[in-house]
Amino acid sequence: MPIRQFQAQRMRAPRDFQAISNSPICVEIGAGKGKHALLFSASHPQQQLIAIERTREKFLAMQKQHQIEGQSNLTPVHADALPWVVHALFPQQVQQFFILYPNPEPHNPAQRWLNMPFFEFLLSRLQPGGQITLASNIPEYIQEAQQQLIDVWQLPFVKEKIAASSARTHFEVKYLERGELCQQLIITKPADYTTRFDDFAPLQGQNAVAE
Ligand SMILES: C[S@@+](CC[C@H](N)C(=O)[O-])C[C@H]1O[C@@H](n2cnc3c(N)ncnc32)[C@H](O)[C@@H]1O
């Protein structure tokens, strides 16, 4: 694989890290103010969703709305997704990841999700047949991700145009109101797919203090 190996064991534990048990879950990365997380957890009561957001004000907005709505199958988490995923998630635990309208990182292509070595670690946490939904309003972002799926990750996907009536996230609403083309890739992990992290157990709060 022509991408360097992610240094998972070096990831420090997120502040106030809380471990989770090894049962099937869905995970949203960069959940913003939580519109999708709240909608998804309300409409899928049998599924557990963890919604991670790094920006404090957005996380607090999600948490506040969650306290009003009270979905018992939703857990908002205030953390950077990279260390949180490495510390919390078990191999093949995740049914679905949602990455909806990620920051486009115009000046830092290496920070886009499918360009990062971390993406291999993310794939190791996905169960066989599990899916990643990646949505964007930037055609070049989708095009680049699609090419990475073919060239680097060798994963099957479908590309969909998002209906003008869709309103899953705050950014989706804004972009569709402006008449922008919004698209998503639905990526599936094949049953026989392997990564270099398939035996990597979650760090569960190790590396919490400076070395
Ligand atoms: C453009 S916003 C989209 C928010 C939401 N998904 C929506 O569509 O309304 C991207 C979000 O991802 C969050 N984010 C970016 N990198 C992250 C990371 N490594 N861990 C957690 N959140 C992250 C940002 O704080 C920001 O709220």
Side-chain angles (χ1 to χ4, degrees):
M1 210 178 265
I3 201 152
R4 71 175 198 281
Q5 187 162 344
F6 175 61
Q7 299 297 308
Q9 70 289 349
R10 292 194 188 162
M11 281 274 148
R12 293 264 164 74
R15 205 177 303 156
D16 303 324
F17 174 75
Q18 292 186 355
I20 62 168
S21 59
N22 188 4
S23 53
I25 51 165
C26 300
V27 176
E28 181 165 353
I29 293 178
K33 295 179 183 173
K35 187 175 172 68
H36 174 267
L38 292 154
L39 286 169
F40 180 87
S41 51
S43 59
H44 298 79
Q46 305 306 324
Q47 293 191 280
Q48 297 293 324
L49 176 66
I50 296 192
I52 310 165
E53 174 52 48
R54 184 174 64 182
T55 304
R56 185 176 165 77
E57 311 83 71
K58 291 186 182 181
F59 164 77
L60 290 174
M62 166 160 61
Q63 193 182 47
K64 190 173 168 194
Q65 191 58 28
H66 181 224
Q67 280 161 2
I68 293 168
E69 299 186 22
Q71 292 88 332
S72 58
N73 58 331
L74 172 61
T75 308
V77 169
H78 181 212
D80 182 329
L82 275 73
W84 187 86
V85 163
V86 168
H87 280 266
L89 295 179
F90 293 80
Q92 304 199 347
Q93 182 180 10
V94 177
Q95 298 164 310
Q96 285 193 72
F97 281 110
F98 297 100
I99 308 177
L100 305 177
Y101 305 94
N103 294 335
E105 306 289 355
H107 305 300
N108 209 348
Q111 293 293 314
R112 297 177 196 146
W113 291 103
L114 275 78
N115 296 348
M116 288 199 273
F118 169 73
F119 194 70
E120 183 182 355
F121 192 90
L122 202 68
L123 291 169
S124 75
R125 307 297 102 170
L126 201 55
Q127 67 181 35
Q131 294 189 321
I132 302 174
T133 301
L134 176 74
S136 179
N137 65 320
I138 300 172
E140 296 78 17
Y141 191 104
I142 293 289
Q143 183 58 40
E144 180 186 72
Q146 195 174 324
Q147 207 56 48
Q148 287 289 93
L149 288 170
I150 296 165
D151 295 343
V152 178
W153 306 114
Q154 297 170 355
L155 283 167
F157 62 89
V158 292
K159 181 156 91 173
E160 297 173 350
K161 181 182 178 209
I162 293 162
S165 58
S166 185
R168 292 175 299 181
T169 80
H170 289 95
F171 277 75
E172 185 163 82
V173 169
K174 180 171 75 174
Y175 298 140
L176 289 172
E177 272 175 3
R178 297 203 301 227
E180 293 182 14
L181 170 66
C182 292
Q183 302 176 98
Q184 65 187 10
L185 300 175
I186 312 284
I187 304 156
T188 303
K189 182 178 177 179
D192 59 355
Y193 195 85
T194 60
T195 80
R196 291 171 287 190
F197 299 102
D198 293 348
D199 299 322
F200 189 102
L203 293 178
Q204 297 198 301
Q206 293 169 48
N207 305 344
V209 286
E211 286 157 23

